[in-house]
């Protein structure tokens, strides 16, 4: 039996809508603000209520209760503030976010579409704008062929259900192609992935994919589910040449994809000749350290042997 995540009542099969891993009644699956019917994979949940992407930012500005007024974004994650004496530190952090957003807008002074909207309210700040994400998928995705099927996206959003092959379209975005998606500083990694997939009408589950920071030296790391990609973008700076955000497919059994370690990535910017010289220097230092160890233990061995001989002579 399936239960509605909104009203906690039993769902009949003909009334069931499956979205982002949860089940809903058709009548319950609507935006709590504008009451429009939601589309699977294209909604957000705040305080146990569903909202469409358009209303989500407006709702956040209207939240003036103590719980939300005591929320602050730190290091790309949401944290709760319980001590009022932390107010000066909070204001300093908010000002830092605003300053980074202003620097970001200065970088894109000639491209208004990429500039961020900054809204300060209560003890927090809301950042909104376009985020550039690069596609780096190795496996094709699936779209619904709506011209040759009577099924809707609601029926096909769960890939575990049997779907005829002629009802799907294979789609693989061009490798390293860039796409802009409008996000805000309240959207976590999973929300951003779901938005990106929904915009491209991809019916694969968002948990099959991950967002990664790719630095120019080859170092990469996967963003955690609770991190805020837009704020992470502000932290690393606006330049895509220095660091860019990419989406990759990941294995469900190994969500954290193996990537080049930061220690190894530091050598990727050197030429072959430079690396050979570095290797020779390491070998020289290794031999020098080995010689020190041999000298040290040789002296110890001599002292021990002399002590043994002295003991034998006494006997």
């Amino acid at each position: 039996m399936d239960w509605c995540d909104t009203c906690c009542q039993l769902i009949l099969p003909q009334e069931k809508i499956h979205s982002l891993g949860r089940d809903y009644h058709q009548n319950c699956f609507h935006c709590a603000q504008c009451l429009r019917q939601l589309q699977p994979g294209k909604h957000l949940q705040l305080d146990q209520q569903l909202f469409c992407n358009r209303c989500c930012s407006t709702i956040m500005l209207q939240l003036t209760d103590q719980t939300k007024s005591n929320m602050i974004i730190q290091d790309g994650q949401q944290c709760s503030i319980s001590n009022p004496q932390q107010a000066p530190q909070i204001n300093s952090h908010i000002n830092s976010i605003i300053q980074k957003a202003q620097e970001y807008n200065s970088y894109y002074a000639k491209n208004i579409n990429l500039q961020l909207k900054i809204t300060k309210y209560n003890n927090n700040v809301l950042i909104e704008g376009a985020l550039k994400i690069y596609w780096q998928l190795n496996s094709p995705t699936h779209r619904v062929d709506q011209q040759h099927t009577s099924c809707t996206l609601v029926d096909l959003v769960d890939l575990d259900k049997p779907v005829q092959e002629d009802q799907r379209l294979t789609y693989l975005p061009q490798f390293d192609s860039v796409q802009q998606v409008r996000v805000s500083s309240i959207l976590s990694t999973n929300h951003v992935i779901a938005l990106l997939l929904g915009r491209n009408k991809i019916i694969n589950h968002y948990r099959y994919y991950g967002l990664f920071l790719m630095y120019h030296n080859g170092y990469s790391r996967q963003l955690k589910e609770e991190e805020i990609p837009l704020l992470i973008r502000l932290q690393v700076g606006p330049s895509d040449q220095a660091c860019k955000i990419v989406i990759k497919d990941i294995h469900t059994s190994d969500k954290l994809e193996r990537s080049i370690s930061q220690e190894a990535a530091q050598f990727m910017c050197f030429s072959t000749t430079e690396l050979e010289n570095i290797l020779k220097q390491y070998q020289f230092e290794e031999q020098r350290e080995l010689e020190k160890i041999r000298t040290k233990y040789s002296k110890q061995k001599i002292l021990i042997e002399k002590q043994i001989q002295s003991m034998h002579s006494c006997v």
Side-chain angles (χ1 to χ4, degrees):
M1 295 187 297
D2 297 318
W3 302 86
C4 178
D5 193 69
T6 300
C7 67
C8 300
Q9 299 296 320
L10 182 65
I11 308 176
L12 298 177
Q14 62 271 22
E15 299 177 347
K16 178 181 175 181
I17 293 181
H18 185 82
S19 178
L20 302 182
R22 301 182 179 183
D23 299 319
Y24 304 91
H25 287 110
Q26 292 182 2
N27 295 335
C28 297
F29 195 62
H30 59 78
C31 177
Q33 175 73 3
C34 65
L35 301 181
R36 293 180 181 177
Q37 189 72 19
L38 297 173
Q39 296 183 15
K42 297 184 178 181
H43 65 87
L44 300 174
Q45 184 169 338
L46 299 174
D47 293 338
Q48 303 302 318
Q49 289 185 310
L50 302 179
F51 297 97
C52 64
N53 297 329
R54 180 180 300 179
C55 294
C56 186
S57 297
T58 304
I59 292 299
M60 287 302 298
L61 290 176
Q62 294 175 350
L63 294 176
T64 57
D65 59 332
Q66 186 65 26
T67 302
K68 293 299 177 182
S69 64
N70 286 340
M71 293 299 294
I72 183 65
I73 303 295
Q74 292 186 350
D75 300 328
Q77 301 182 21
Q78 285 190 344
C79 304
S80 178
I81 304 301
S82 57
N83 186 359
Q85 295 180 354
Q86 294 178 336
Q89 182 179 359
I90 295 172
N91 292 331
S92 175
H93 187 76
I94 291 177
N95 292 334
S96 175
I97 294 178
I98 294 176
Q99 181 180 357
K100 290 182 180 295
Q102 291 172 344
E103 294 173 354
Y104 188 97
N105 288 341
S106 298
Y107 183 86
Y108 288 109
K110 296 182 179 180
N111 193 340
I112 302 179
N113 294 331
L114 290 176
Q115 291 189 354
L116 303 175
K117 178 182 177 182
I118 307 171
T119 305
K120 189 174 181 180
Y121 66 100
N122 295 338
N123 292 327
N124 214 331
V125 61
L126 180 68
I127 309 295
E128 301 173 280
L131 181 66
K132 292 195 293 184
I133 300 178
Y134 291 78
W135 291 93
Q136 292 190 5
L137 303 186
N138 295 319
S139 303
T141 63
H142 292 95
R143 286 174 164 176
V144 180
D145 185 3
Q146 296 181 344
Q147 296 181 352
H148 298 85
T149 179
S150 59
C151 296
T152 64
L153 187 61
V154 175
D155 301 318
L156 301 176
V157 70
D158 188 352
L159 289 181
D160 294 332
K161 297 180 180 180
V163 180
Q164 297 181 6
E165 291 297 330
D166 59 355
Q167 296 177 351
R168 294 184 185 180
L169 291 177
T170 301
Y171 172 65
L172 182 62
Q174 183 178 355
F175 192 86
D176 213 32
S177 60
V178 63
Q179 184 172 357
Q180 299 177 16
V181 57
R182 187 166 184 82
V183 299
S184 71
S185 57
I186 62 173
L187 298 185
S188 65
T189 299
N190 286 345
H191 290 143
V192 173
I193 295 176
L195 286 175
L196 184 62
L197 298 179
R199 170 167 292 188
N200 291 273
K201 299 180 180 179
I202 296 174
I203 61 176
N204 301 63
H205 200 281
Y206 69 88
R207 292 193 179 276
Y208 293 132
Y209 305 93
L211 293 182
F212 292 77
L213 288 180
M214 297 286 294
Y215 292 85
H216 72 285
N217 61 2
Y219 171 69
S220 68
R221 79 166 182 89
Q222 184 178 350
L223 296 186
K224 299 178 182 178
E225 294 182 358
E226 64 272 14
E227 288 186 296
I228 310 296
L230 183 57
L231 296 185
I232 297 297
R233 177 77 270 179
L234 293 181
Q235 290 180 2
V236 300
S239 175
D240 287 342
Q241 295 180 351
C243 179
K244 60 185 180 181
I245 299 179
V246 304
I247 181 171
K248 296 183 179 183
D249 36 16
I250 56 178
H251 299 292
T252 54
S253 60
D254 185 15
K255 283 197 169 185
L256 295 178
E257 183 182 90
R258 293 181 180 178
S259 57
I260 301 175
S261 66
Q262 193 167 10
E263 292 78 6
Q266 63 181 329
F267 297 108
M268 297 186 66
C269 58
F270 295 101
S271 64
T272 303
T273 303
E274 292 172 328
L275 290 175
E276 290 176 349
N277 291 332
I278 293 174
L279 184 60
K280 290 179 181 179
Q281 182 65 27
Y282 281 173
Q283 291 173 344
F284 174 77
E285 293 179 359
E286 180 184 7
Q287 291 298 325
R288 185 174 58 183
E289 293 299 323
L290 288 174
E291 189 63 30
K292 288 182 180 179
I293 294 174
R294 290 194 188 99
T295 302
K296 173 184 176 181
Y297 285 103
S298 294
K299 293 180 179 179
Q300 296 293 334
K301 287 169 61 178
I302 293 174
L303 292 175
I304 293 174
E305 289 174 353
K306 288 183 177 180
Q307 181 64 25
I308 293 175
Q309 290 178 359
S310 174
M311 294 173 66
H312 282 308
S313 60
C314 292
V315 174

